[in-house]
Amino acid sequence: MDIDILELSDRSARFILSDVDAAFANGLRRAMLADVPTLAIDEVNIYNNTSVLYDEQIALRLALVPLVTIFNEFTPHEECSCEEGCPACTVSLTLSVEAPMDEDKTVYSGDLVSADPKIKAADSNIAVVKLKGGQQLVLEGIAKMGYGHDHAKWQAGVACGYKNVPVIEIEGCDLCEKCVSACPRDILTLGKESAEVVDDRLLNCSLCKQCVAACDIDAISVSENNTSFIFTLESDGSYSAEELIINAVNTIRTKASTLDNILGEL
């Protein structure tokens, strides 16, 4: 297996995963989406809400606020030995906002105050509700560690996908330029003796095969590399993109080790 990092920022990444099959690539994708546990507000105690939104609507909005998560410091609530919640699997976040009598005030995710200073909203500018003059919102949110396969609020990967690395072969080209004009991604250009591929990695090729359809002499063919994949992913901010990838791989490793132990006991 080989990994070639193309882009890496705090919230997103793009890389080429080679020498693996589609099952492994899809397993990595699913792990990033559903099997990396994160913190999310699961219960809300409303003490005062005079805003225009019902308590349930406030709770639903808070549940979808991504929270910065430290992977090794918390245990998923369903795997914790406690029953009611403890510091190992839950975090309390409070919110108390009142709009001045003569003006409106928007409540943001950054107004949440966590009992653990390391746990906070991944983005502080997510609007929760707009309060009119004199309105109040006072509540406590109980964040729990959970998995994306149970609910979308625990899904750290928000846009994880892959495609096969394209393979374009050109032979017997007559320089008619039809394939160059047909390509919607500007992948091809006209060389001295034949049409040529602009980007050797073909990162922008969508495998639409319009170039193949445009060629009257079948000089161009487009196929897929079945053991090489271009991955694109985004994190909701619970983890950095790098942490999300590493935690997904560790999750797969742990599951494989558990399965190996179970089979060894049979």
Side-chain angles (χ1 to χ4, degrees), residues 228-256:
S228 188
F229 307 88
I230 302 172
F231 262 88
T232 303
L233 69 96
E234 293 182 22
S235 167
D236 69 347
S238 303
Y239 302 102
S240 67
E242 181 179 358
E243 289 173 331
L244 180 59
I245 298 170
I246 292 173
N247 291 338
V249 172
N250 288 337
T251 298
I252 295 174
R253 181 186 292 115
T254 300
K255 287 187 174 183

Side-chain angles (χ1 to χ4, degrees), residues 157-175:
V158 294
C160 301
Y162 64 87
K163 68 176 182 179
N164 291 83
V165 172
V167 178
I168 297 180
E169 297 178 342
I170 303 173
E171 185 176 352
C173 177
D174 61 359
L175 297 175

Side-chain angles (χ1 to χ4, degrees), residues 6-219:
L6 304 175
E7 302 171 14
L8 181 62
S9 64
D10 186 52
R11 293 286 187 92
S12 63
R14 199 179 190 193
F15 60 91
I16 296 178
L17 181 65
S18 304
D19 298 328
V20 297
D21 58 17
F24 183 88
N26 192 50
L28 179 60
R29 180 191 69 85
R30 289 180 61 85
M32 289 189 287
L33 288 173
D35 294 332
V36 177
T38 64
L39 284 168
I41 293 177
D42 188 51
E43 297 179 6
V44 179
N45 300 316
I46 305 286
Y47 301 116
N48 190 9
N49 176 23
T50 57
S51 72
V52 296
L53 293 183
Y54 293 115
D55 293 352
E56 292 83 354
Q57 292 174 302
I58 297 290
L60 288 171
R61 290 190 173 194
L62 291 174
L64 295 177
V65 173
L67 301 177
V68 174
T69 304
I70 304 174
F71 186 82
N72 295 321
E73 291 194 11
F74 291 91
T75 301
H77 183 66
E78 63 184 33
E79 299 172 10
C80 189
S81 58
C82 72
E83 295 182 0
E84 300 297 328
C86 67
C89 64
T90 61
V91 179
S92 173
L93 299 98
T94 58
L95 187 150
S96 179
V97 180
E98 181 178 2
M101 292 300 298
D102 56 347
E103 63 181 86
D104 298 344
K105 182 178 179 62
T106 301
V107 180
Y108 291 99
S109 54
D111 295 319
L112 288 165
V113 179
S114 174
D116 186 336
K118 293 177 290 186
I119 306 302
K120 60 181 181 179
D123 292 295
S124 61
N125 59 350
I126 300 175
V128 177
V129 64
K130 186 174 184 178
L131 302 178
K132 295 294 184 180
Q135 291 183 339
Q136 294 182 334
L137 180 60
V138 182
L139 56 83
E140 177 190 24
I142 307 299
K144 298 179 181 178
M145 195 88 154
Y147 293 96
H149 56 67
D150 292 324
H151 197 284
K153 63 187 174 186
W154 286 306
Q155 185 174 306
V158 294
C160 301
Y162 64 87
K163 68 176 182 179
N164 291 83
V165 172
V167 178
I168 297 180
E169 297 178 342
I170 303 173
E171 185 176 352
C173 177
D174 61 359
L175 297 175
C176 71
E177 204 175 358
K178 290 182 179 179
C179 60
V180 177
S181 301
C183 180
R185 298 291 185 90
D186 298 325
I187 301 297
L188 302 172
T189 187
L190 202 61
K192 293 182 179 181
E193 299 180 357
S194 170
E196 299 175 350
V197 177
V198 175
D199 181 4
D200 291 339
R201 290 183 170 180
L202 297 171
L203 300 180
N204 294 320
C205 179
S206 62
L207 292 165
C208 66
K209 300 185 179 181
Q210 292 190 36
C211 55
V212 176
C215 183
D216 296 327
I217 61 173
D218 298 328

